[in-house]
Amino acid sequence: MPFYRRKRLQGGTYFFTLVTAQRQPILTTDTARVMLRRCITEARQTRPFDVLAFVLLPDHLHTLWTLPDGDADYSTRWRHIKGAFTHHWLRSGGAERSVSPGQQRHHYRGVWQPRFYEHTIRDEDDLRAHVEYIHYNPVKHGLVACPKDWFWSSFHRYVADGIYSIDWCCGNEYPQPASVPTGNWLE
């Protein structure tokens, strides 16, 4: 089994991508959205973090988190979120995909891919690029023509706070926002 090395920066800001097992398109269902929000909220109560940007697509999600000073343990948070979501999803009758014998030995279920992608944000330009990537992702995947048309995104908070215009990235332009705010974008 490969050994995955992750960068740990206490109090750092991280970009994450999580994907459902075999890319099953469950995350934008009413049931999954409510459960995922609840699981993230519960995780934040026991191990706080700020959500700077977020987009939920049918088979994956992207998010930017900032952890508290002195804390670099995002893996425990994701383990809690994925585990709680899987438990609630299966209890509600949600489907799961088959898993390999090796995954079964590690108690994986067929709701999420086993791991997640993480990138440590290096500076303001890197942060801005990842915020834009998150908000543009529904357009990239052909789900909508403009970010404003995708409901499950922090894009609308950025518009409300005057960071983006409502028509940001509609058409061929890809302008950069004037600034990137801090705070929690799921509330």
Side-chain angles (χ1 to χ4, degrees):
M1 177 174 186
F3 179 68
Y4 292 95
R5 299 187 77 146
R6 296 193 184 274
K7 186 170 182 178
R8 307 277 182 186
L9 178 64
Q10 294 190 4
T13 298
Y14 301 92
F15 170 82
F16 300 102
T17 300
L18 280 77
V19 181
T20 59
Q22 299 174 15
R23 290 204 172 260
Q24 58 183 328
I26 62 173
L27 296 179
T28 53
T29 65
D30 291 340
T31 301
R33 285 185 291 103
V34 169
M35 286 180 191
L36 187 58
R37 179 180 283 276
R38 185 180 321 135
C39 294
I40 291 170
T41 300
E42 289 171 3
R44 291 183 67 233
Q45 289 171 349
T46 58
R47 298 182 76 97
F49 57 92
D50 287 331
V51 178
L52 303 182
F54 191 91
V55 66
L56 187 64
L57 292 103
D59 62 355
H60 68 286
L61 67 85
H62 299 290
T63 188
L64 275 163
W65 290 359
T66 298
L67 300 183
D69 288 340
D71 189 344
D73 189 8
Y74 49 77
S75 291
T76 297
R77 290 166 171 89
W78 279 123
R79 186 170 35 259
H80 171 82
I81 292 166
K82 289 170 69 174
F85 178 88
T86 297
H87 172 78
H88 294 303
W89 177 253
L90 295 175
R91 254 184 106 194
S92 74
E96 68 178 311
R97 302 291 193 213
S98 61
V99 295
S100 71
Q103 291 172 324
Q104 289 174 359
R105 281 192 299 277
H106 288 95
H107 305 288
Y108 289 133
R109 301 299 299 259
V111 178
W112 295 99
Q113 286 186 0
R115 292 181 174 77
F116 56 86
Y117 173 79
E118 164 269 324
H119 167 78
T120 304
I121 300 298
R122 298 179 306 270
D123 55 31
E124 284 294 319
D125 290 337
D126 194 29
L127 179 61
R128 184 177 296 111
H130 282 82
V131 168
E132 290 176 359
Y133 180 84
I134 286 170
H135 293 145
Y136 191 73
N137 209 249
V139 177
K140 174 187 172 211
H141 287 284
L143 299 169
V144 292
C146 296
K148 70 179 178 182
D149 299 328
W150 191 251
F151 184 74
W152 303 294
S153 169
S154 56
F155 173 79
H156 304 284
R157 293 280 179 123
Y158 278 63
V159 170
D161 284 355
I163 294 164
Y164 290 124
S165 72
I166 191 67
D167 292 322
W168 180 81
C169 282
C170 291
N172 293 329
E173 71 245 25
Y174 193 77
Q176 293 190 3
S179 63
V180 175
T182 58
N184 183 18
W185 291 89
L186 282 183
E187 295 177 348

